[in-house]
Structure formats: structure tokens, C-alpha cells
Amino acid sequence: MATIEVDTDKLMSFVFRAVDEVGATLNAALVVMGDRLGLYRALAGAGALTPAELAQKTGTAERYVREWLNAQAAGGYVEYEADSGRYSLPPEQTVALTDESSPAYLPGFFQIALGSVLDSPRITEAARTGEGVGWHDHVHDVHEGCERFFRPSYNAHLLTEWLPALDGVVARLEEGGSVADVGCGHGASTILMGEAFPASRFIGFDYHEGSIATARERAEAAGLDGRVSFHTAPAASYSGTGYDLVTMFDCLHDMGDPAGAARHVRQSLAADGTWMIVEPRAGDRVEENLNPVGRAYYGFSTLLCTPASLSQEVGLALGAQAGEARIREVVLGAGFSSFERVAETPFNMVFQARP
Ligand SMILES: C[S@@+](CC[C@H](N)C(=O)[O-])C[C@H]1O[C@@H](n2cnc3c(N)ncnc32)[C@H](O)[C@@H]1O
């Protein structure tokens, strides 16, 4: 091997940064563990607890809880009082780790990350051949984590910012319109819209049968059975025409043939209908995405989105950081007359396309 000149200080600073990242990688499992065992919820508003008190409150084993608490304290997730040997959850962490209604809610993000990591050996093998790995092939934590990750953001933005940013859509839904939510997963967005617009009808479509089964359970639990329904169908051939609104939440880039899906959306829409596309926020150039959000998205894109697209016909593999220009090309290429960005958050871009 050729000798390479190394700056030892830079090398060691990189190694120590990586130590923190190894701790963070393990923390994905620890957050999911804390969420599942109810450890964060038991700490919420409980003041400072000893490991034995937390174990007792949650019906868990003290020795595991003590070790978990120390890992959480080292990462700044809980606070440790050395004098009393007690641990507490600060108010901000309480919101981020226990309040499912907050846009800052994090456990779903960790759950989908952990599921992606668990499935990574299959992605490593697929990368040798270029084969795909479908969304349906993943562990349940990917599907449920996805739902729990996106729902808080839809709760925070969909009804108050994203739908009102579309031309005339809210009025149409208030009067009574028809909506297809394509690539709906567990139906978080479909159900949210269904609850808000009782005069309208909503159909969620997804090619993954397991997700549709869960979405149906969620609609039943929400008391929306009937007006909100779910069907297993791919984006390029779902049923129905004359829709006032077609929505796609964080799924266009996962599809093998987004151009084929776009053509189908166009012919399924009413002449004055609207297609709302929500996609991960990204700049058009790689260098614009080399930041923490881009890092997470490129990671998910490598382990989930790109293999999902490659597993389907065409396999265009837009990637989760496709950027506005690439999405515009796909949409206008399908014959839509207009395409514009109407809203954004730190994590998402929202587009409106008209036939
Ligand atoms: C990242 S998930 C988003 C799910 C949901 N829209 C949400 O926001 O929670 C991507 C979804 O796209 C679906 N999907 C992928 N390819 C599809 C296709 N060709 N037709 C329909 N759905 C598809 C997957 O099954 C998965 O549910």
C-alpha cells in the first residue's frame, strides 16, 4: 500500500466524531427500547427517579434500566443527578420523546431508522447485483416507523398550511369532493383529511397489501369506515376518474415508474383537478444536500427508497433527494400544464400540479 501523508490531529478528531456516531447508532435501538417499554412515558413529569423506581413503574428489570439510563444520560436524553443517583427527563425531551401530537415527536424517526438498519444486510447484497428490495419486503418497524414519523408532521402542516396553499382545494373539499391518496401507507394522511372534510370521499391506494390492511384498521378505529376507504393498487393503475384531488405523500420517489404514475394521475383527475405532491426537501445539486437533513435522507434513500424503486418495473430510482427540477421534469413530462412549489418545511417540499 502506498504511504499516505496523514494529519494525526485530523485523524483523531475524525475517530472521536465516529465514536459519538457509534453511540448514536446504538441509541436508535435504545430509543425504540425506551419507547416500547414505556420508560420515557414513565419518566415524563415524574421528577427525578432512581433506576429501581423507574423499573418498578414500568414492570422492567432494574439492572437493564440502570444501564439504559446511563446511556441516555451520556447522550443528553435524560439528566443525571450525581448527588442523589436519580434521573429525570427534561421538558423538551419529554415533548420530543412522548408527545405523539407534537411535530417534534421522534420515536417514529428512530423506529424507521432501526428497521432500515436491521434490513441492511439485504441491501448490501442487492448492491452487488443492482436488484431491488421492495417496500413490502421490509420489517414491520419500517412500515410502522414510517407512519409514526410522518404523522406528526402531517398533523402540524397538512390542514393548516399545505391544503390551503393549493388553488381552491379547501373550498372544494368543504363542499364535497373526491380524493385519491396514492401510496398512502398506513393511511395517516387519508384519515386526517377524512376527519377534516366530512362532505368529501377519500380513497387511499397503496400497492402493499399489508399497509392497506393496517390503514383499514386505523379508519375503523377512527370511526371513518365507509367515507374513507382503502384499496390495494399500484400508482400506475388505481381505479376511479374525475378526482378533485390526488395526493402523494413522500412516495413518488419510491415508485419504480413515477412517470407512468404521473400519466395515470393526469387521466384520473377531473379537468380542473389538482395533484398535490409532498416530497422530501432537497436542493437540485448534491452539494446543497450535504447537511444533517440530507444525510438522514440519503441514508434512508440508500436503504429504503432507491431499492424500493429498483424492485419495480422501470426502476427509475429518483432517490429521496431528487430535488425540485427532477420532479418537475417527471410531472411536466406526463403532460401536466403547470407545476409549482406551494409550501415547504425543513423536511418537506409541497408541489401543486394541474392537468
Ligand atoms: C415512504 S412510504 C410513505 C407512506 C405514506 N404516504 C406516508 O406518508 O406515511 C412510501 C409508500 O409508497 C408505497 N409505494 C411504493 N411504490 C408504489 C407504487 N408503485 N404504487 C403505490 N404505492 C407505492 C409504499 O408501499 C409505501 O407505503
Side-chain angles (χ1 to χ4, degrees):
M1 197 172 117
T3 329
I4 43 170
E5 289 285 319
V6 168
D7 176 326
T8 312
D9 288 344
K10 280 189 186 165
L11 173 62
M12 288 324 287
S13 104
F14 180 64
V15 167
F16 277 102
R17 200 186 69 142
V19 170
D20 197 32
E21 298 199 356
V22 170
T25 305
L26 296 170
N27 196 47
L30 296 176
V31 170
V32 171
M33 180 177 167
D35 178 50
R36 254 178 215 153
L37 295 176
L39 300 174
Y40 295 121
R41 289 187 292 280
L43 280 165
L49 300 181
T50 63
E53 286 165 347
L54 181 58
Q56 206 264 329
K57 267 169 91 86
T58 51
T60 51
E62 187 274 343
R63 188 63 191 91
Y64 278 94
V65 168
R66 186 167 15 123
E67 219 60 14
W68 179 86
L69 279 167
N70 287 335
Q72 295 297 287
Y77 280 56
V78 304
E79 273 170 12
Y80 177 57
E81 294 172 6
D83 292 345
S84 65
R86 289 171 176 273
Y87 302 78
S88 61
L89 197 60
E92 295 73 23
Q93 277 82 335
T94 300
V95 170
L97 295 164
T98 69
D99 181 359
E100 293 229 17
S101 70
S102 165
Y105 183 68
L106 288 172
F109 207 2
F110 282 100
Q111 188 179 356
I112 187 172
L114 180 63
S116 306
V117 169
L118 287 171
D119 280 338
S120 66
R122 303 175 66 182
I123 305 302
T124 306
E125 284 315 303
R128 294 185 196 282
T129 61
E131 269 171 37
V133 176
W135 183 259
H136 60 279
D137 286 321
H138 287 288
V139 291
H140 180 66
D141 277 332
V142 165
H143 306 140
E144 194 182 84
C146 176
E147 173 191 13
R148 295 178 75 212
F149 166 51
F150 284 126
R151 191 196 282 114
S153 151
Y154 300 159
N155 281 343
H157 304 289
L158 176 56
L159 302 175
T160 51
E161 294 161 39
W162 297 350
L163 289 174
L166 305 169
D167 298 331
V169 164
V170 169
R172 182 79 71 92
L173 297 184
E174 279 168 353
E175 283 160 20
S178 61
V179 180
D181 187 13
V182 179
C184 65
H186 287 187
S189 50
T190 334
I191 291 169
L192 187 61
M193 293 189 287
E195 285 172 333
F197 299 103
S200 290
R201 291 185 63 81
F202 296 83
I203 309 182
F205 295 101
D206 199 290
Y207 91 103
H208 179 217
E209 213 171 329
S211 288
I212 289 298
T214 303
R216 285 184 179 139
E217 285 168 21
R218 302 278 193 266
E220 207 180 323
L224 285 170
D225 225 7
R227 211 164 43 71
V228 176
S229 61
F230 291 96
H231 301 282
T232 307
S237 62
Y238 60 86
S239 58
T241 52
Y243 289 109
D244 297 297
L245 175 67
V246 172
T247 54
M248 283 192 193
F249 292 88
D250 284 289
C251 60
L252 182 65
H253 65 273
D254 290 305
M255 295 174 186
D257 184 12
R263 286 192 295 276
H264 187 69
V265 172
R266 188 163 175 272
Q267 63 105 53
S268 78
L269 274 173
D272 59 350
T274 301
W275 182 16
M276 177 172 79
I277 306 153
V278 179
E279 277 289 294
R281 186 173 178 152
D284 293 325
R285 301 171 63 84
V286 170
E287 57 270 35
E288 294 171 59
N289 304 323
L290 302 184
N291 52 56
V293 173
R295 186 185 189 195
Y297 278 147
Y298 277 127
F300 282 121
S301 191
T302 309
L303 296 172
L304 295 178
C305 316
T306 300
S309 178
L310 290 173
S311 75
Q312 299 180 17
E313 265 178 46
V314 181
L316 189 66
L318 283 175
Q321 294 286 269
E324 180 170 346
R326 190 81 181 90
I327 296 165
R328 168 179 284 122
E329 204 178 297
V330 167
V331 172
L332 296 183
F336 281 84
S337 64
S338 72
F339 174 88
E340 58 179 319
R341 192 194 296 216
V342 294
E344 62 192 15
T345 70
F347 298 103
N348 282 115
M349 309 184 284
V350 182
F351 304 106
Q352 165 176 267
R354 308 300 296 267

